[in-house]
Structure formats: structure tokens, C-alpha cells
């Protein structure tokens, strides 16, 4: 195998040697992926804080496997440093080799389990869950491999009961090997480029190439938790809703694992705690009279209304009576798409929102409550009613707030940068299908999620794209028939091979920026033609899913020149003038690129990242933020079914 150079980003393509080094893994567990919650029958414990960390700097990046670092405390294998979890590791230290490191890194945390978690007949299940880790993870507990997971943006977990209950004492040593290498078959895809010119590069030098415009941060990005359930437990709950003004039906399906001798009872409570409907059994429906519907922000005086569905299981296991309780937030709402409208609860909905990134100084893509709450305060100040999870699923906690605040979400898979023909092959397709299953399993019950997006800006004009997207979209619809499906295109309307299969056309364009840079005067003609061509061809509603311009905070120019705050404002206004004409017809939304500046790979077109944010990376407003705020509140007042007293303050905390 090739050796790595000492510079950052150099090393083997480490995924190549995975099959030679892995131990047999324990079963990854059942299909359910309920979010861990404290209930009368369940406990959860967060493992955030400082973990031991070591990057494998060996020539082949394989020393950790060859020397079996998981068999003993990581500090005994060599030098370790403290690393915060959750966080990306790239920007934490002053070590430039970590900034662009490619390969295996190792994390470790030692925790003491409460004795009650290890006792009882039968003893409770103990589950280890990762909100996400980028990109490929292998996890050991007390030296025993418990789970292996591919994908950097969705949760995975393992039942570790047999490992911890069979170990002396209550010490639980968690070891994670994490690899951020991307290949043509990962989501997102990437490739390793070996530099063979010996006059310019060291021997075996390579870099990670990516075809997406955000930094490939790596690390344990979201909360790690231990949680317990009884030995027999509620594994999964699926809820769908239908409604009219006077009655709603909540259809449910509950699966139980660990016993065939069980009973289920369900109670649906409103926000005052009053039981409004009850049921029993694993499948059924609850009738709710005069329901409080889940409405988007600025579409109702009480947006984001959530009921609580309490599911109680009683089961016989080895002569013992076990009880499990799980409470699921439920929003009652419907979604429907016509040839020119997007309807929520039967009323036209217009997306006036943003695209975002999980990205911030120092922590990279690491989960941070302060940042999340700040972002939601800015969204509501802005008058935004929606966002797209560009370009990967966001943290569950972010989705919780969308449900509670009434922020509408287009939930996007990590299918960004699918550009190479080989990324449309069967190997990539099968992984993409699996990722959609994981995403839907996680977010299927969320009222805020109104549409799935399977990809962003793929090379959808390539011949294999037709079969690829027909298959992915059909699979997504089969998993969840209740929501429309889209992907986001930048292809020519006449050449796009995936567009026939979507329910809503989502199109990105950057007229006067990437096309005819500096020429604001071309926007009205080109944008109008874009909309008319797409609608004439497909007769489907259209969302302008991206548009925008870079602006350097504090850089001013009059007349407006590119990269100035004035140019960003001027571009927005040119786009808005066309939106205002077409939203009376078939344009159903506009999502600015981007909510905030974010980090990218270094390059001659990027100065410390992408500057298309209307807020800086530190969440301070640029001039464009005020342009957008005025517009969004005006649209809200025009389209609201409320009395015309909504202001930018009346519904904002």
C-alpha cells in the first residue's frame, strides 16, 4: 500500500483496507430509530464533553487496526489529545495537518454506568446512539465491536447490553474509529486524486477531491447518548394524519420487539394535557374532534401546534411483566401538490425562506445549542417560514424546533455533488436507497417536513440519471406516500432526465453571478425564461431553490459592483421583481442562498469561505438581510389568513 506524505490531506484511500481489518460486528439492531427520550420506563445519558482523540498518522493510516487500538485504553497506544464532542476536529487545534486530514481518527470515552442499568431479571437494554459521525464509523465497547455505519449525517446505534452486562464492574469504554474519506459511491461522493509528478509532489501524495461547495468537516458531529429500554420495548411508531375543519384522523402503526405477548394502549393529549383520543393495539386510528391543526409560522396565530401521543406497552417476558412508555410529538396537517400550488391543510403555501448549513466558527459542523437557538431567532426575525436542509439531513434537535415553531422543511439527503458517471451506477444507487430509508425512518413523523429532496445539483442530464432518479424517487414514495418528492436541479430544462419523476420543480440559478457576472440587467429576461420553459415543459409548481451573490461585509460600491453589499441587494431585488409576477401563477417559493456565510475548501474564488450569506458566519446581518426581511414580512401580510395586524414584532419573541 502507498504511504502518506507528511502534509495535510495526504495519505492512503483508507476505505480500501476496511474489509481486511474488521472484526465480526454484533447485529446493529432492529429497524426502529425512535429519538431517545426520558420516560417512566427509559433513561438517557448524554456523553458530550471531552473525549480522548488520536489521528492515525502512520504511512498507511492503518496503525490503529494493525495494533488494535480498540483493545486497550487509547492513551496506552500513544499520544492523545482532548477533543470536544460534539464538534468537527478540523479547526480545534493549531495543527495544520488536522485541518485537511484524510483518513482514520480515533475517539475514546470512558463512562461509569449506573448499577441499576446492569441489574434486574430481565435486565434493561442498554443502547449506544450517535446522532451522526462523519463519514464512516466503527464502534467498540470494552474492546468488542458493536456497530459499523456508513454515512455522515444520520443516527446509528447499537444494543450493547450483552457487552456491558458481561463485563466486570460498570466501566464502559467506548472507542470510535472514524474515516472521512469520500469515494465516487459515498453520499456525498468524492474521489482521491494521486499526484504522480515527482518533480512537484512527494511520493504517494494525494488529495481528496469533492464536487460540492462546502468544507468536508469531520468528527463526531452530534450528541452521543446512552439510553435504556425494558427488555421488551416499543421499537417504532409511524403516524400519518388527515383532517378537515371539524375532525381529524391520526393513523398509527406501532412495532414491539422482545415479546409476542404484549398489549398496547395509546392516548393523544393536547397541549393542556387533556386526553382527546385513545386507542389500543399495534395498528389503528384516533379520531380528534375540532382539531388544532399544525400550521406554518406566519400562517396562523398559533403555529406549530403539537399533540403528544403516549404509547404504553405491557409485555410478559420470562414470567415478568414489563412496561415501556414512549411519547411522540404529533402535528395534524395535510400536504397536497397541484399543477401550480403547494397546499398545507388545504390552503396555498408560499415558501419564503432560506438555505442553511450546519457550519460555524471553531466547531465546524458540530452541534451547538446556542448557535441553533440564535439561528431560529434570526429566522423568525427575518420572517422566514421555511428552509431546505442543504445539503444533508440536519440534527434531530433542529428538526424538533422546526416542529415546535412551525418552520417548514424540505428535508434533503446528502446526495450533493453527484457528478461523475460512475456515481450513477448500481453501487451508488443501492447506497442512496439505503440513505433514503434511514432519513425517512428518522423524520417520517415530523409535521415540519413537507417534502423530501433526494439530491442537489446532480449531473441529471447524463443518460444514467433517468433510471437513477426514477428508482430513488419511486423508492422514496413507496417508503412514504404521504409527502411529495423532489430534487434540486441546475440542468437545462430540456436535458434534465430526472425532472419527469419529481412532484415539484426545484431549480437553482445565479444569473449575473456565475452566468454573465456583473450584468444585473440580464436577470429579468433570463429568470423569466427559466420559469416559463420549466413550467411549459412539466406543468409542475416551481421553487427557486437557490439564488444569490457573494458579498464581503463592509465592502461598498455605488454603482453596485460584484462582492459589494450593494450588489447583493441589487441582485435580490432583480430576482424579486420576477418572483412577484410568477408567484401569481405557478412559482410557489423562493429560498435565498444562503442564510449565513460558511466555510469551503480553499480556492481562488473563495476567501475564507462562501460569502453568499445574508448574515455573516458570526450571524451578524448584512444589508441584504434587511431587504429580505422587508420582503418576507410583506409576503406574510399579503398571504396570511390572519387580520392585517401581523408585524415583524407581533409574532416574534
Amino acid at each position: 500500500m502507498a504511504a502518506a506524505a507528511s502534509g495535510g490531506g495526504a495519505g492512503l484511500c483508507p476505505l480500501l483496507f476496511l474489509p481486511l481489518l474488521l472484526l465480526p460486528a454484533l447485529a446493529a439492531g432492529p429497524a426502529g430509530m425512535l429519538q431517545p427520550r426520558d420516560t417512566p420506563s427509559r433513561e438517557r445519558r448524554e456523553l458530550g464533553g471531552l473525549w480522548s482523540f488520536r489521528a492515525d498518522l502512520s504511512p498507511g493510516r492503518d496503525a490503529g487496526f494493525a495494533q488494535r487500538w480498540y483493545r486497550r485504553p487509547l492513551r496506552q497506544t500513544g499520544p492523545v489529545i482532548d477533543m470536544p464532542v460534539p464538534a468537527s476536529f478540523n479547526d480545534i487545534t493549531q495543527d495544520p495537518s488536522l485541518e485537511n486530514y484524510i483518513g482514520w481518527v480515533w475517539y475514546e470515552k470512558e463512562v461509569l454506568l449506573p448499577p441499576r442499568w446492569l441489574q434486574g431479571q430481565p435486565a434493561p437494554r442498554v443502547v449506544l446512539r450517535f446522532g451522526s459521525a462523519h463519514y464512516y464509523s466503527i464502534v467498540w465497547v470494552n474492546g468488542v465491536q458493536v456497530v459499523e455505519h456508513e454515512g455522515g449525517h444520520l443516527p446509528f446505534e447499537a444494543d450493547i447490553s450483552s457487552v456491558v452486562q458481561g463485563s466486570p464492574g460498570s466501566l464502559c469504554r467506548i472507542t470510535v474509529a472514524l474515516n472521512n474519506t469520500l469515494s465516487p459511491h459515498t453520499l456525498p461522493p468524492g474521489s482521491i486524486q494521486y499526484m504522480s509528478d515527482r518533480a512537484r509532489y512527494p511520493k504517494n501524495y494525494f488529495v481528496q477531491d469533492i464536487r460540492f461547495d462546502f468544507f468536508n468537516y469531520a468528527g463526531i458531529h452530534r450528541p452521543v447518548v446512552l439510553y435504556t429500554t425494558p427488555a421488551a420495548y416499543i421499537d417504532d411508531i409511524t403516524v400519518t394524519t388527515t383532517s378537515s375543519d371539524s375532525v381529524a384522523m391520526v393513523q398509527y402503526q406501532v412495532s414491539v420487539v422482545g415479546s409476542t405477548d404484549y398489549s398496547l394502549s395509546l392516548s393523544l393529549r393536547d397541549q393542556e394535557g387533556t386526553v382527546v383520543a385513545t386507542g389500543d393495539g399495534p395498528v389503528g386510528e384516533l379520531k380528534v374532534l375540532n382539531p388544532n391543526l399544525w400550521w406554518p409560522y406566519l400562517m396562523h396565530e398559533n403555529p406549530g401546534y403539537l399533540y403528544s401521543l403516549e404509547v404504553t406497552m405491557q409485555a410478559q417476558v420470562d414470567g415478568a411483566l414489563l412496561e415501556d412508555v414512549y411519547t411522540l410529538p404529533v402535528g395534524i396537517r395535510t400536504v397536497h401538490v397541484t399543477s401550480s400550488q403547494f397546499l398545507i391543510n388545504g390552503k396555498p403555501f408560499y415558501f419564503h425562506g432560506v438555505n442553511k448549513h450546519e457550519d460555524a466558527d471553531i466547531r465546524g459542523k458540530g452541534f451547538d445549542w446556542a448557535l441553533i437557538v440564535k439561528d431560529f431567532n434570526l429566522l423568525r426575525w427575518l420572517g422566514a417560514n421555511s428552509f431546505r436542509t442543504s445539503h444533508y439531513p440536519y440534527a434531530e434537535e433542529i428538526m424538533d424546533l422546526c416542529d415546535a415553531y412551525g418552520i417548514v422543511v424540505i428535508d434533503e439527503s446528502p446526495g450533493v455533488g453527484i457528478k461523475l458517471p460512475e456515481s450513477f451506477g448500481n453501487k451508488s444507487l443501492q447506497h442512496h436507497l439505503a440513505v433514503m430509508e434511514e432519513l425517512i425512518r428518522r423524520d417520517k413523523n415530523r409535521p415540519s417536513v413537507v417534502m423530501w429532496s433526494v439530491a442537489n445539483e446532480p449531473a441529471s442530464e447524463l443518460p444514467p440519471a433517468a433510471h437513477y432518479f426514477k428508482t430513488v424517487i419511486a423508492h422514496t414514495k413507496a417508503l412514504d406516500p404521504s409527502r411529495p418528492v423532489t430534487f434540486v436541479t441546475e440542468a437545462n430544462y430540456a436535458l434534465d432526465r430526472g425532472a419527469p419523476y419529481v412532484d415539484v420543480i426545484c431549480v437553482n440559478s445565479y444569473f449575473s453571478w456565475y452566468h454573465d457576472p456583473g450584468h444585473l440587467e440580464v436577470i429579468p429576461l433570463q429568470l423569466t425564461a427559466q420559469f416559463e420553459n420549466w413550467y411549459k415543459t412539466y406543468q409542475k409548481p416551481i421553487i427557486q431553490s437557490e439564488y444569490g451573490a457573494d458579498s464581503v461585509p463592509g465592502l461598498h460600491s455605488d454603482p453596485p459592483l460584484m462582492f459589494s453589499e450593494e450588489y447583493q441587494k441589487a441582485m435580490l431585488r432583480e430576482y424579486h421583481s420576477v418572483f412577484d409576477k410568477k408567484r401569481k401563477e405557478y412559482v410557489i417559493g423562493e429560498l435565498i442562498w444562503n442564510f449565513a456565510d460558511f466555510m469551503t475548501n480553499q480556492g481562488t474564488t473563495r476567501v475564507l469561505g462562501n460569502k453568499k450569506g445574508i448574515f455573516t458566519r458570526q450571524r451578524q446581518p448584512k444589508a441584504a438581510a434587511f431587504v429580505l426581511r422587508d420582503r418576507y414580512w410583506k409576503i406574510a401580510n399579503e398571504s396570511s389568513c390572519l387580520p392585517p395586524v401581523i408585524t415583524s414584532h407581533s409574532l416574534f419573541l
Side-chain angles (χ1 to χ4, degrees):
M1 286 186 177
S6 59
L12 268 185
C13 181
L15 291 179
L16 296 177
F17 60 78
L18 267 173
L20 303 177
L21 296 168
L22 298 189
L23 301 175
L26 299 182
M33 190 57 75
L34 294 175
Q35 191 172 350
R37 302 184 189 280
D38 284 306
T39 77
S41 59
R42 298 176 176 222
E43 291 185 69
R44 68 190 297 274
R45 180 178 177 185
E46 292 204 13
L47 303 183
L50 295 182
W51 289 47
S52 296
F53 176 88
R54 184 179 181 188
D56 188 341
L57 297 173
S58 63
R61 301 290 200 256
D62 58 350
F65 291 98
Q67 299 170 19
R68 300 183 178 183
W69 289 355
Y70 50 85
R71 287 285 183 90
R72 52 187 172 146
L74 193 61
R75 62 185 176 275
Q76 295 179 8
T77 69
V80 298
I81 61 174
D82 289 336
M83 185 61 66
V85 171
S88 302
F89 63 72
N90 307 80
D91 295 344
I92 298 296
T93 76
Q94 300 305 108
D95 184 352
S97 68
L98 277 184
E99 179 70 27
N100 296 295
Y101 178 88
I102 301 297
W104 290 102
V105 298
W106 293 72
Y107 286 81
E108 182 189 82
K109 183 80 166 179
E110 293 180 336
V111 298
L112 289 173
L113 301 183
R116 63 183 178 277
W117 286 18
L118 309 176
Q119 299 168 356
Q121 292 296 327
R125 288 172 71 240
V126 180
V127 182
L128 174 63
R129 177 187 173 107
F130 292 78
S132 76
H134 188 72
Y135 173 80
Y136 196 103
S137 305
I138 309 169
V139 182
W140 296 261
V141 172
N142 295 340
V144 178
Q145 185 179 325
V146 295
V147 69
E148 182 180 340
H149 182 259
E150 178 178 359
H153 307 91
L154 288 164
F156 58 96
E157 63 182 29
D159 182 342
I160 64 171
S161 308
S162 61
V163 177
V164 297
Q165 290 165 0
S167 300
S170 56
L171 183 67
C172 178
R173 179 168 51 83
I174 302 165
T175 308
V176 182
L178 186 60
N179 193 317
N180 62 344
T181 306
L182 300 177
S183 78
H185 308 297
T186 57
L187 280 183
S191 58
I192 296 296
Q193 181 181 1
Y194 288 90
M195 305 301 190
S196 58
D197 186 345
R198 293 293 171 263
R200 301 177 63 192
Y201 302 100
K203 184 180 180 181
N204 299 319
Y205 186 88
F206 74 80
V207 294
Q208 170 82 77
D209 282 345
I210 55 176
R211 291 167 179 81
F212 50 85
D213 188 30
F214 56 92
F215 193 81
N216 186 37
Y217 279 112
I220 300 177
H221 282 154
R222 297 179 189 158
V224 183
V225 300
L226 285 165
Y227 73 93
T228 65
T229 74
Y233 59 97
I234 299 163
D235 174 54
D236 197 20
I237 305 170
T238 303
V239 169
T240 56
T241 62
T242 57
S243 67
S244 65
D245 290 337
S246 59
V247 65
M249 304 302 296
V250 178
Q251 295 85 21
Y252 66 85
Q253 183 171 344
V254 181
S255 63
V256 170
V257 171
S259 176
T260 57
D261 183 13
Y262 66 88
S263 63
L264 286 167
S265 61
L266 300 92
S267 297
L268 188 69
R269 298 177 185 271
D270 63 19
Q271 290 188 349
E272 285 70 47
T274 303
V275 175
V276 297
T278 60
D280 57 70
V283 179
E285 61 181 9
L286 308 176
K287 185 177 181 179
V288 184
L289 299 178
N290 301 314
N292 291 297
L293 300 184
W294 187 95
W295 287 100
Y297 178 52
L298 299 179
M299 202 171 176
H300 191 271
E301 60 190 1
N302 188 14
Y305 192 96
L306 295 174
Y307 291 85
S308 296
L309 180 63
E310 184 178 273
V311 183
T312 301
M313 177 218 72
Q314 290 187 328
Q316 290 285 341
V317 177
D318 298 332
L321 179 64
L322 301 181
E323 183 173 87
D324 189 22
V325 180
Y326 190 87
T327 301
L328 179 75
V330 172
I332 297 175
R333 63 103 181 94
T334 60
V335 172
H336 183 63
V337 175
T338 73
S339 62
S340 60
Q341 290 183 315
F342 196 99
L343 305 175
I344 295 181
N345 299 329
K347 297 186 182 298
F349 177 77
Y350 186 77
F351 295 79
H352 48 90
V354 303
N355 294 276
K356 291 182 91 279
H357 266 299
E358 290 181 313
D359 173 277
D361 290 331
I362 300 175
R363 63 190 58 80
K365 291 194 179 301
F367 177 87
D368 182 270
W369 267 121
L371 182 74
I372 290 168
V373 173
K374 177 66 173 179
D375 281 1
F376 273 93
N377 283 331
L378 289 175
L379 284 171
R380 293 186 292 177
W381 173 86
L382 195 64
N385 64 9
S386 54
F387 66 75
R388 174 168 63 115
T389 68
S390 48
H391 299 297
Y392 39 80
Y394 292 173
E396 291 163 286
E397 294 83 355
I398 293 176
M399 307 299 285
D400 288 342
L401 292 184
C402 291
D403 290 339
Y405 295 162
I407 301 298
V408 170
V409 177
I410 300 172
D411 208 352
E412 189 161 273
S413 85
V416 57
I418 306 176
K419 301 293 189 182
L420 300 175
E422 60 189 304
S423 294
F424 288 94
N426 190 58
K427 183 176 181 180
S428 297
L429 176 59
Q430 293 306 311
H431 179 52
H432 203 146
L433 298 179
V435 168
M436 293 310 301
E437 291 175 10
E438 290 188 29
L439 175 57
I440 292 171
R441 179 176 62 179
R442 192 193 76 165
D443 290 345
K444 61 187 174 182
N445 296 321
R446 297 190 176 278
S448 61
V449 175
V450 300
M451 184 158 54
W452 306 111
S453 171
V454 301
N456 176 76
E457 295 186 355
S460 50
E461 72 281 359
L462 295 179
H467 171 72
Y468 189 94
F469 285 109
K470 180 181 180 180
T471 304
V472 172
I473 291 171
H475 185 66
T476 302
K477 287 178 172 291
L479 292 168
D480 177 20
S482 71
R483 291 178 177 88
V485 181
T486 189
F487 74 89
V488 175
T489 183
E490 61 171 351
N492 182 284
Y493 75 96
L495 302 177
D496 195 307
R497 297 172 184 264
Y501 307 107
V502 302
D503 298 302
V504 173
I505 300 292
C506 288
V507 59
N508 295 348
S509 60
Y510 290 88
F511 304 124
S512 87
W513 192 259
Y514 296 124
H515 311 283
D516 300 294
H519 292 279
L520 294 165
E521 66 276 7
V522 306
I523 293 175
L525 176 64
Q526 294 182 2
L527 185 58
T528 299
Q530 167 198 281
F531 286 141
E532 292 177 350
N533 288 331
W534 277 102
Y535 193 74
K536 181 180 179 181
T537 304
Y538 292 104
Q539 297 293 301
K540 296 175 181 179
I542 302 172
I543 296 175
Q544 182 74 40
S545 41
E546 288 182 25
Y547 71 105
D550 285 76
S551 68
V552 177
L555 183 63
H556 297 288
S557 174
D558 185 26
L561 297 179
M562 292 178 71
F563 291 98
S564 69
E565 293 198 47
E566 286 75 17
Y567 193 91
Q568 188 181 38
K569 289 168 55 180
M571 173 189 264
L572 264 57
R573 286 174 170 143
E574 292 290 349
Y575 265 80
H576 294 166
S577 66
V578 179
F579 294 162
D580 284 339
K581 296 174 184 176
K582 295 303 179 183
R583 67 186 174 97
K584 296 180 176 66
E585 302 175 42
Y586 46 76
V587 170
I588 61 168
E590 54 190 80
L591 304 177
I592 187 70
W593 188 269
N594 190 279
F595 173 74
D597 295 346
F598 57 92
M599 188 52 64
T600 65
N601 275 357
Q602 297 183 71
T604 54
T605 61
R606 295 284 178 252
V607 182
L608 290 179
N610 189 307
K611 295 294 193 293
K612 290 189 180 66
I614 58 170
F615 297 99
T616 67
R617 201 180 189 208
Q618 295 73 36
R619 275 50 180 185
Q620 296 303 310
K622 304 178 188 177
F626 296 94
V627 171
L628 211 61
R629 182 176 189 246
D630 288 345
R631 174 173 178 78
Y632 283 178
W633 283 102
K634 180 181 177 182
I635 292 174
N637 277 307
E638 290 174 356
S639 60
S640 176
C641 54
L642 295 173
V645 295
I646 301 178
T647 69
S648 58
H649 305 289
S650 62
L651 291 182
F652 181 70
L653 293 180

